[in-house]
Amino acid sequence: MWNSFIPEISNKNRVITIDLLGHGDTECMSYVHTMEDNADAVHAVLTHLRIRKAVFVGHSMGGYVSLAFAELFPESVKGLVLLNSTSRADSEERKTNRDRAIKAVKQSYVNFISLSIANLFSEGNRERLINEINYVKKEALKTPLQGIVASLEGMKIRIDREVLLHLTPYPKMLILGKKDPVLPYDETKSQIDETQVQLVTFPDGHMSYIENKIELTAVLLKFFKSI
């Protein structure tokens, strides 16, 4: 998902993109992939590469993993960007929706991915970005059923980490889509009330790295430069 960002961002930064557990070339580890399991995997990669500190950018579940990493390995975090993500745990309603999603993906893997991917974009972009949406679907279908279920199970049981947005010393940014169908804008924005976290708002949906790619690149470059 980050490949198209690498050429520009890597001009002045070292860029490391990681396949989380059950994604891409990283195999599944168990029936449930907790955010802490993923954070441990990220830490193993950084240790292998001898990287002591890094700026973390996490999209959606990647944001949950970044927060888990920040709690487990605070000395390794130089900055944090939550992209279309939240520090809060799932509400009871969202946990129920995760259970429904797990059931749906087990019943019809291809249909689940097709519908869920399209629904992440703002309504106005679902036709305009049809080629990009089809590409994301194709990439998502490379994720095994077990990988999807394990991630859904892990997201469902993740803990609330809003305190990290209030008490951690490094620079932080929250990037939200005004029409995000997954994360209600006003509710998600409220988690950074009375904090030093920078807020960036884009006019579209949950997939800012596609829907607002040019603007996002500029925002990230400016953030990296400021650290």
Side-chain angles (χ1 to χ4, degrees), residues 1-5 57-60 83-84 117 120-121 129 132 135-137 139-140 175 202 204-217 220:
M1 63 174 281
W2 293 109
N3 283 354
S4 63
F5 288 79
V57 182
H59 174 259
S60 199
L83 174 60
N84 311 118
I117 294 294
L120 295 174
F121 291 77
L129 297 174
E132 289 85 349
Y135 175 77
V136 176
K137 288 178 185 177
E139 287 298 302
I175 303 174
F202 291 134
D204 298 297
H206 190 69
M207 305 293 270
S208 294
Y209 74 97
I210 295 173
E211 295 176 275
N212 309 103
K213 180 180 178 295
I214 294 171
E215 298 87 345
L216 176 60
T217 303
L220 291 177

Side-chain angles (χ1 to χ4, degrees), residues 11-214:
N11 281 332
K12 294 187 178 179
N13 305 276
R14 182 177 183 185
V15 180
I16 300 159
T17 58
I18 297 175
D19 291 348
L20 295 175
L21 299 175
H23 290 70
D25 291 331
T26 302
E27 295 178 0
C28 295
M29 190 174 77
S30 63
Y31 180 75
V32 179
H33 291 153
T34 67
M35 300 305 101
E36 294 81 4
D37 290 335
N38 278 290
D40 284 337
V42 172
H43 187 253
V45 172
L46 297 185
T47 301
H48 176 73
L49 296 174
R50 297 180 181 177
I51 294 170
R52 194 175 60 84
K53 273 197 166 190
V55 179
F56 293 81
V57 182
H59 174 259
S60 199
M61 189 183 85
Y64 310 153
V65 173
S66 298
L67 286 162
F69 185 99
E71 183 174 273
L72 293 169
F73 311 103
E75 71 288 346
S76 298
V77 182
K78 197 175 176 182
L80 176 65
V81 179
L82 298 181
L83 174 60
N84 311 118
S85 192
T86 178
S87 63
R88 292 173 176 165
D90 272 358
S91 64
E92 289 308 311
E93 181 185 358
R94 291 207 72 186
K95 287 178 182 177
T96 300
N97 289 338
R98 301 266 189 218
D99 285 332
R100 287 183 184 138
I102 290 165
K103 188 176 179 181
V105 73
K106 286 179 177 178
Q107 286 177 340
S108 183
Y109 171 77
V110 175
N111 283 348
F112 172 82
I113 286 180
S114 185
L115 286 171
S116 59
I117 294 294
N119 288 338
L120 295 174
F121 291 77
S122 64
E123 275 191 55
N125 282 332
R126 288 173 197 170
E127 285 191 23
R128 185 176 72 85
L129 297 174
I130 189 67
N131 290 335
E132 289 85 349
I133 291 172
N134 285 334
Y135 175 77
V136 176
K137 288 178 185 177
K138 184 180 172 185
E139 287 298 302
L141 285 168
K142 294 178 183 176
T143 305
L145 172 62
Q146 185 189 347
I148 296 175
V149 171
S151 293
L152 288 166
E153 292 282 7
M155 288 189 282
K156 185 177 72 176
I157 61 172
R158 76 183 190 281
I159 63 171
D160 191 298
R161 291 190 165 93
E162 188 173 341
V163 66
L164 294 178
L165 300 183
H166 292 259
L167 299 181
T168 49
Y170 41 78
K172 294 172 286 291
M173 177 180 280
L174 176 65
I175 303 174
L176 300 176
K178 192 82 175 181
K179 298 176 184 173
D180 191 325
V182 180
L183 297 172
Y185 177 76
D186 289 329
E187 180 188 319
T188 309
K189 180 167 72 81
S190 70
Q191 71 189 298
I192 61 167
D193 290 348
E194 300 179 21
T195 73
Q196 298 298 310
V197 179
Q198 295 180 57
L199 174 67
V200 174
T201 301
F202 291 134
D204 298 297
H206 190 69
M207 305 293 270
S208 294
Y209 74 97
I210 295 173
E211 295 176 275
N212 309 103
K213 180 180 178 295
I214 294 171

